[in-house]
Amino acid sequence: MAKKIKVTLVRSTIGQKPAKVATVRSLGLKKINSSNVLEATPAVLGMADAVSHLITIEEVK
């Protein structure tokens, strides 16, 4: 079974470059404090690392 992570948007995307805003949206996050549970694939982990200053990441069991 693949690992899952929960990503939560904790900072606004206002003032960020369009690529960062698109990355946040592709993680399924729209508003501050919105969360999404995703599989921890290399693509998702790379996107989360690119916007790590805007989100928090938790491992889900």
Side-chain angles (χ1 to χ4, degrees):
M1 187 171 178
K3 289 185 179 180
K4 294 196 178 267
I5 58 170
K6 179 180 179 183
V7 292
T8 304
L9 185 63
V10 293
R11 296 197 56 205
S12 174
T13 57
I14 294 174
Q16 298 295 318
K17 294 185 178 182
K20 301 289 184 186
V21 176
T23 302
V24 169
R25 295 285 298 180
S26 67
L27 288 170
L29 305 173
K30 296 181 179 179
K31 297 181 177 182
I32 294 178
N33 291 326
S34 64
S35 299
N36 197 8
V37 177
L38 304 164
E39 291 201 23
T41 62
V44 170
L45 294 175
M47 288 191 294
D49 187 48
V51 292
S52 62
H53 58 289
L54 301 174
I55 63 172
T56 59
I57 304 169
E58 304 172 28
E59 189 173 336
V60 177
K61 295 184 180 182

